[in-house]
């Protein structure tokens, strides 16, 4: 069984072809960094137009890489949301068109579910149910993944997402948009105790998150310092990242105590590639006799492989989508 997956929910156009053994036959990605960098963030109209310009070229390149024709594809899947609706429509309509032209099944994939399931592709021993920490630019959630399409929400952010907080702090420090990775790099040379940033909702009696106050505290500190050298910048990054890690650590430990039957802990989403967060989760797993799994860092950010893999798992579970399926700018996992 061979699936072609299309991802176009934000500023990356991606097409992947995989089989039901989890083998990646092709993966083509075009980022739109140059198109958006001058604006300091993703411009939805520019993103959707770029997806239109790139999508057919990427499909042809993926088919060439896999040495396949379009008729060799058994399933067509696309990220159907959540995401920037213009970009989502581009990918979904292309996948629908190909499915219609070849008389093959179409799978509308929830973008968050694709992140949630991705670690299973690289960790064959991972079994349902498992606890998921979903950390991305738009979401910070703790869920129980009971199966394909079966999710139980334990906690979520009440304001900013973790990834959004990373990117906005990076912008305060002078890096381009999507600068979360720069914070991680700079923090290596910094002192995590240099600044006492707050840990919002650390002692709340629920599993929800809040990062807005942390972001504001970092901004206030930067404005006080005015001129910041590289050493101070590294200290800010290390202290900020330490606060994020401690918040995630405490919430996950609380979630594990409340769900003692869980034997697997998984992290998904772009921020799950952060090495400090991964190290903390591995410690949590070791201390609580829980197996911890991640996708490789390159497959934590938005990519076509995760859409194709989720498409295959949904098809195996007996789920296909109508060609009249409507894309969703917002689409919660628990709504599946």
């Amino acid at each position: 069984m061979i699936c072609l997956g299309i991802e176009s929910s934000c500023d990356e156009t991606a097409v992947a072809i995989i089989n039901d053994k989890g083998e990646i036959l092709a993966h083509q990605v075009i980022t739109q960094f140059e198109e958006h960098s001058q604006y300091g963030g993703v411009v939805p109209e520019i993103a959707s137009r770029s997806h239109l310009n790139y999508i057919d070229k990427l499909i042809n390149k993926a088919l060439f890489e896999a040495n396949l024709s379009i008729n060799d594809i058994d399933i067509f899947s696309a990220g159907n949301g959540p995401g920037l609706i213009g970009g989502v429509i581009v990918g979904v309509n292309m996948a629908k068109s190909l499915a219609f032209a070849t008389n093959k099944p179409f799978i509308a994939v929830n973008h968050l579910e694709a992140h949630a399931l991705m670690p299973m592709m690289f960790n064959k021993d991972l079994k349902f149910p498992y606890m998921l920490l979903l950390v991305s630019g738009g979401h910070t959630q703790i869920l129980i993944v009971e199966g394909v399409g079966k999710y139980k929400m334990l906690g979520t952010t009440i304001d900013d997402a973790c990834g959004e907080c990373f990117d906005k702090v990076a912008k305060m420090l002078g890096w381009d948009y999507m600068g979360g990775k720069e914070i991680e790099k700079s923090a290596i040379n910094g002192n995590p105790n240099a600044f006492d940033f707050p840990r919002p909702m650390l002692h709340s009696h629920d599993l929800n998150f809040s990062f807005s106050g942390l972001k504001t505290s970092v901004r206030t500190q930067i404005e006080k310092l005015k001129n910041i050298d590289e050493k101070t910048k590294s200290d800010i990054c290390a202290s900020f990242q330490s606060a994020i890690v401690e918040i995630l650590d405490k919430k996950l430990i609380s979630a594990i105590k409340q769900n003692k039957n869980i034997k697997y802990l998984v992290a998904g989403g772009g921020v799950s590639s952060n090495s400090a967060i991964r190290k903390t989760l591995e410690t949590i797993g070791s201390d609580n006799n829980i197996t911890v799994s991640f996708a490789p860092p390159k497959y934590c950010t938005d990519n076509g492989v995760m859409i194709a893999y989720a498409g295959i798992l949904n098809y195996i579970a007996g789920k296909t989508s109508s060609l009249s399926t409507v894309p969703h700018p917002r689409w919660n996992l628990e709504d599946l």
Side-chain angles (χ1 to χ4, degrees):
M1 187 188 301
I2 298 174
C3 181
L4 184 149
I6 299 173
E7 161 59 21
S8 58
S9 66
C10 192
D11 63 335
E12 290 174 320
T13 315
V15 176
I17 301 173
I18 72 170
N19 61 27
D20 55 358
K21 297 178 182 178
E23 297 171 335
I24 301 172
L25 307 181
H27 189 208
Q28 296 288 328
V29 183
I30 291 180
T31 62
Q32 300 174 14
F33 181 82
E34 292 184 4
E35 287 97 322
H36 301 284
S37 59
Q38 62 181 307
Y39 302 105
V42 178
V43 181
E45 176 68 16
I46 293 174
S48 57
R49 289 181 180 273
S50 295
H51 290 309
L52 276 171
N53 290 334
Y54 298 144
I55 191 69
D56 56 340
K57 301 181 182 70
L58 285 189
I59 290 172
N60 286 326
K61 285 184 177 181
L63 290 169
F64 181 81
E65 182 185 349
N67 193 27
L68 297 170
S69 74
I70 200 69
N71 290 310
D72 293 321
I73 305 300
D74 300 304
I75 308 166
F76 293 92
S77 62
N80 199 53
L84 301 178
I85 191 62
V88 172
I89 288 173
V90 172
V92 168
N93 283 352
M94 177 60 79
K96 285 182 181 180
S97 299
L98 294 173
F100 177 77
T102 58
N103 196 29
K104 300 291 178 64
F106 165 66
I107 309 289
V109 172
N110 180 291
H111 179 87
L112 303 179
E113 178 165 58
H115 279 305
L117 298 175
M118 194 60 183
M120 295 191 77
M121 180 172 167
F122 300 96
N123 301 277
K124 303 302 182 184
D125 295 331
L126 180 58
K127 307 294 182 185
F128 298 122
Y130 56 81
M131 184 175 290
L132 168 69
L133 172 66
L134 181 61
V135 275
S136 67
H139 298 81
T140 304
Q141 300 175 339
I142 301 175
L143 308 103
I144 300 297
V145 183
E146 298 173 341
V148 177
K150 298 177 181 178
Y151 298 87
K152 178 183 177 183
M153 179 71 70
L154 301 181
T156 188
T157 179
I158 63 172
D159 43 52
D160 295 346
C162 180
E164 179 185 2
C165 194
F166 264 100
D167 290 337
K168 287 184 176 179
V169 168
K171 191 172 182 180
M172 295 174 199
L173 292 169
W175 284 301
D176 291 322
Y177 87 103
M178 303 297 188
K181 293 296 294 183
E182 299 302 324
I183 288 180
E184 180 183 357
K185 293 177 185 176
S186 181
I188 295 173
N189 301 314
N191 175 9
N193 299 311
F195 298 96
D196 185 21
F197 293 130
R199 275 72 166 157
M201 297 186 70
L202 192 64
H203 302 293
S204 65
H205 298 294
D206 55 38
L207 298 176
N208 291 330
F209 301 91
S210 171
F211 297 103
S212 179
L214 171 59
K215 178 189 65 180
T216 300
S217 178
V218 176
R219 177 185 295 278
T220 300
Q221 186 62 63
I222 290 172
E223 291 173 348
K224 285 181 180 179
L225 293 170
K226 295 183 180 179
N227 296 321
I228 300 175
D229 57 22
E230 287 303 313
K231 179 61 173 67
T232 304
K233 182 183 286 190
S234 292
D235 287 344
I236 292 172
C237 290
S239 299
F240 164 73
Q241 182 173 266
S242 177
I244 292 279
V245 168
E246 184 177 352
I247 293 168
L248 297 177
D249 175 74
K250 300 302 182 186
K251 294 292 184 176
L252 280 172
I253 290 174
S254 295
I256 290 169
K257 289 180 179 178
Q258 296 174 29
N259 296 269
K260 296 182 179 180
N261 61 318
I262 294 297
K263 301 300 180 185
Y264 302 96
L265 174 61
V266 167
V271 185
S272 68
S273 65
N274 180 285
S275 58
I277 292 175
R278 288 189 171 220
K279 184 177 179 181
T280 294
L281 264 66
E282 288 169 350
T283 300
I284 291 173
S286 177
D287 291 345
N288 293 275
N289 194 29
I290 291 177
T291 301
V292 178
S293 295
F294 312 96
K298 67 182 291 186
Y299 296 113
C300 291
T301 53
D302 295 350
N303 63 86
V305 174
M306 71 182 197
I307 301 297
Y309 184 65
I312 285 179
L313 292 187
N314 272 274
Y315 185 77
I316 292 173
K319 300 180 180 182
T320 59
S321 304
S322 166
L323 294 181
S324 62
T325 298
V326 178
H328 301 288
R330 297 182 180 181
W331 191 12
N332 296 325
L333 281 174
E334 58 269 34
D335 292 339
L336 293 177

